[in-house]
Amino acid sequence: MVPSRPIVSPTLSSPLQGSGAAPLEKDYHSLEYRLTHGHWRIFNSKSVFGNKDASVLVFDKKSNVKAPPKLGKSKTYSMFDLIKYETQQLMGLIHPRILHMEHSLEETKDYISFATEQIFGNLENVVTDESLDRLEIKLGVLQIIDGMSYLHNSAKMLHGNLTPDAIYVTATKTWKIGGFSFAVNAKEPNCYPCYPWTKKLPPCLQPDLDFLAPENLAPGQTTVTSAADVFSLGVLICWIYAGGKRLIDAKSNLETYHIVVGQLDAALQCISNELGPNLKDSMAKVLSLDVEVRPTVQLLSLIKHFDDPCLSALRQLDDIAQVFDPSQKSHFLSQTLNVAIPHISESVWFNRVLPRFNEQLLELPEMYYPITKPLFHILEHCESHNIHKMKPWIRKLMEAAPHNKLLRAFILENMSALFRRLSDEFVEDKCLDVIILSLKSEDTSLQSSAVRGLPHVAEYLPVGFITKKLIPAIMGLPPFLHENVPRQLDLLAALAALSDRCDVSSIVHLFGCISLCNSSHPVIVHAKSRIVQRLVMRDPNRLKDSQLLSIHLLNPLVNGLACKDLSTFSCAHFDDVLSSVRILLDVLEQRRYEMEDRQEHKQSNHHLGLNRLGNRRVSMSSTNLPRVMISAARPSFSSDSRKMSFLSADGRLEDRGSRRESRDSRGSLESDMSIRIGNGSDISDDSCFSSHSAKGRRQSWLDGYGHSVSLEQNTNGFLETTSRNLGDRNSMNFKQRNARASERRARTRSPNAELDPQREQPPARPNSFTNLGHNIVLTYRNLLYKDHT
């Protein structure tokens, strides 16, 4: 069935500003002017059958040039003749480095036209573009050399006019040879006819003098060898590397040409920096006037200048369509090209590599896994404005991942690049599906890849996904984790990263996942210890459930301390686990104090007097307030039984000496975390009051002061006097609170400090409102004493 042909305008008023039928209108439509190349005007177009991209080359008959009549009828020919000859030669040449002709020459009243593969531009525009990478120049030159090698060795043809106008750059950025108006076939092996260049003919009807070999102009010369094309190729290479500057600029003057050709050594020296030492030495031989010195085209491709692994990889990529063995393709993409990609510039990635992938591999799912490594490297390192060019390929890979085990494993372990770079909801949703699918898979290698990839993508995972899908999937991993220490260690690393994303409600579910790693190996115990420290350092307020803390965190660490392997494994690890146990004990203790304080607060809301005074707050600076020396309420072996304590603004007695002793006896990490849990800093009294942890570790300033003074003086006079003046009920509450405070102080006291009584205490900081609290105590004591007397 023949497809319906799109409606085409019957005139060329739009593309060519003329009248009459459009060139090739039966086969091509939507002509759009692209550029002028030599005597051709090139239009982008679409084929009627298949709607494929193509280029239509149009020659306006009004631009025809004829030879002068005085040369005789046998010499009379025109541009039409050259065009017809060129298309005939081009039609018979099929090679990847030769411009592909898709439609034969067709003539209308006003135009001569034919169609080729889509053309991007001419060589002059490409070479003068400053963004052209040197690697692309090398690759383009090698493509021309490959084409010339085909002409000389296979087609047995001499090009005869290798100039910039004879080189076309296709839409795939491939440099291809055209312009066969002066090509000749060999009469004998390596023997081609030549025709003299004359002033009598217009230059456009002859080869370009600036690129012509000297032997073509020798008197009486009728034949030349392939070395004539080698000379033209050398002049073209110099023109390319010099950025479009002609090595020979004779301006169609034979005398000037001979003068410049005799000074080619000096001309090469002028562009030596652009050529480089290796290429300059080779060009000196290529441009030699002695035909025997010039190398063949094949040898020219083997010079040191073109010995580059990246260049070799790009050449193989250009020809990958000609490789029919899937294993060879796979090895090249995953190994050779992947090694070369980091050394190739970004412009080449998107000008050559990615277009080749689109042309040759987009419809080959079996090649998706080998191509994944180069694609991910490009995605990871490309500029942000080029990322959108990667989306079609990444979407293809994500759609194929569920059906390709190797592809899915690679994506799982490198998924972070997709979240960080793409910002594509479709890809992100596919990533989440791949994670769950792999965790639930019976293939342990996929499960391992999923677990190892979680730490790298944890920060990008939605909390709802973690709670509703990810954690239930992890809870189904016990068979995968059974007695396998490396897998359990990978899971703990993933859970540590996921803990940063969990809130108070979701962290509870995470504790159950931690218990899945039930090995008693020292590395597992230490990994759990690090999770505890990470939880506390991130946000200790999430640790609300004391029962779950004890079951899933504290209990495994305590059992780990009893394990002999841990103590012999590493002293640092043992100390780290021990610090984590103490941290958890502090957390549990703090939660207990908070509960007791809430109960006491409810019971004491209706009380007045000292409790109301003790809860009063004043916001003032604590700078430079004096310290108060109060006797320590504990036995001591030292001669000085006093310790440094402070009174805070809310009437609480704070024992900083005990905290200092605990800080010295434990590791610095434990002390920092304990302070973080207890919020023991005295930044402001309002903040101290708002923190439950701070209230749990402090006593009423009146309770503490009376208790310490009674122990120091070994008398209960002050407490009895105070109790009698406050009444029986207040006296009973006072004693109960005093006893509880003494019990708490004994529990939180550092054991090392009691065992080492000779240890010096570091100077303590002054706390908030020490002087204020001390004055209030003395004032009330005097008032109460007067009332008593």
Side-chain angles (χ1 to χ4, degrees), residues 429-503:
D429 291 341
K430 287 292 184 181
C431 288
L432 301 182
D433 295 340
V434 167
I435 291 174
I436 300 302
L437 183 64
S438 301
L439 288 175
K440 294 182 178 180
S441 172
E442 296 181 357
D443 192 323
T444 56
S445 63
L446 289 176
Q447 290 176 317
S448 296
S449 298
V451 171
R452 286 196 299 268
L454 282 177
H456 307 291
V457 298
E459 60 179 308
Y460 308 106
L461 302 180
V463 177
F465 169 78
I466 295 175
T467 306
K468 297 178 182 179
K469 293 185 177 181
L470 183 58
I471 291 181
I474 293 176
M475 292 300 293
L477 293 178
F480 167 76
L481 300 170
H482 182 64
E483 295 183 356
N484 194 306
V485 173
R487 293 177 182 176
Q488 293 187 17
L489 197 60
D490 290 338
L491 179 59
L492 288 175
L495 296 176
L498 291 172
S499 67
D500 297 341
R501 302 281 295 148
C502 295
D503 53 15

Side-chain angles (χ1 to χ4, degrees), residues 616-621 649-650 685-686 769 772:
R616 184 174 300 167
R617 273 146 196 80
V618 183
S619 179
M620 295 176 61
S621 174
D650 59 351
D685 294 290
D686 289 337
F769 306 104
L772 175 62

Side-chain angles (χ1 to χ4, degrees), residues 329-594:
K329 279 187 179 180
S330 177
H331 182 271
F332 166 72
L333 293 171
S334 61
Q335 301 296 328
T336 307
L337 183 61
N338 187 53
V339 172
I341 280 290
H343 307 287
I344 298 175
S345 66
E346 182 173 343
S347 62
V348 180
W349 290 347
F350 293 99
N351 290 340
R352 290 193 177 272
V353 177
L354 205 60
R356 296 299 178 275
F357 289 172
N358 297 335
E359 295 168 17
Q360 308 294 341
L361 305 172
L362 195 60
E363 304 302 328
L364 297 177
E366 63 273 14
M367 291 292 108
Y368 282 2
Y369 171 65
I371 206 177
T372 303
K373 291 181 180 180
L375 283 175
F376 267 69
H377 182 89
I378 293 174
L379 174 64
E380 186 75 43
H381 297 89
C382 70
E383 296 290 340
S384 57
H385 63 272
N386 284 322
I387 291 179
H388 71 279
K389 300 176 183 178
M390 303 294 298
K391 286 186 178 181
W393 262 110
I394 299 301
R395 290 190 173 195
K396 281 280 187 181
L397 296 180
M398 295 308 302
E399 291 174 353
H403 314 291
N404 190 320
K405 174 183 173 181
L406 295 176
L407 177 61
R408 196 197 315 178
F410 182 87
I411 290 176
L412 285 169
E413 296 183 4
N414 298 271
M415 193 176 289
S416 60
L418 303 181
F419 284 97
R420 283 187 291 104
R421 302 285 287 169
L422 273 184
S423 299
D424 188 313
E425 292 185 3
F426 175 83
V427 173
E428 291 176 2
D429 291 341
K430 287 292 184 181
C431 288
L432 301 182
D433 295 340
V434 167
I435 291 174
I436 300 302
L437 183 64
S438 301
L439 288 175
K440 294 182 178 180
S441 172
E442 296 181 357
D443 192 323
T444 56
S445 63
L446 289 176
Q447 290 176 317
S448 296
S449 298
V451 171
R452 286 196 299 268
L454 282 177
H456 307 291
V457 298
E459 60 179 308
Y460 308 106
L461 302 180
V463 177
F465 169 78
I466 295 175
T467 306
K468 297 178 182 179
K469 293 185 177 181
L470 183 58
I471 291 181
I474 293 176
M475 292 300 293
L477 293 178
F480 167 76
L481 300 170
H482 182 64
E483 295 183 356
N484 194 306
V485 173
R487 293 177 182 176
Q488 293 187 17
L489 197 60
D490 290 338
L491 179 59
L492 288 175
L495 296 176
L498 291 172
S499 67
D500 297 341
R501 302 281 295 148
C502 295
D503 53 15
V504 176
S505 58
S506 57
I507 199 71
V508 175
H509 303 287
L510 198 69
F511 290 160
C513 298
I514 296 176
S515 293
L516 296 178
C517 305
N518 52 13
S519 173
S520 59
H521 193 279
V523 295
I524 300 298
V525 177
H526 183 252
K528 292 182 179 181
S529 170
R530 303 303 294 180
I531 291 180
V532 169
Q533 297 169 10
R534 186 166 183 161
L535 289 170
V536 174
M537 291 297 292
R538 174 70 63 168
D539 184 9
N541 292 325
R542 296 179 296 171
L543 308 179
K544 297 291 186 181
D545 196 320
S546 300
Q547 183 178 4
L548 292 179
L549 286 179
S550 301
I551 295 174
H552 299 294
L553 296 180
L554 181 59
N555 187 46
L557 295 184
V558 173
N559 292 337
L561 288 175
C563 180
K564 182 179 179 181
D565 295 337
L566 180 64
S567 58
T568 58
F569 183 70
S570 172
C571 293
H573 287 183
F574 181 85
D575 293 341
D576 191 79
V577 175
L578 187 60
S579 295
S580 299
V581 170
R582 288 171 172 167
I583 290 169
L584 285 176
L585 291 175
D586 283 346
V587 172
L588 295 174
E589 182 184 32
Q590 188 65 32
R591 298 296 171 252
R592 176 64 181 272
Y593 290 163
E594 291 173 0

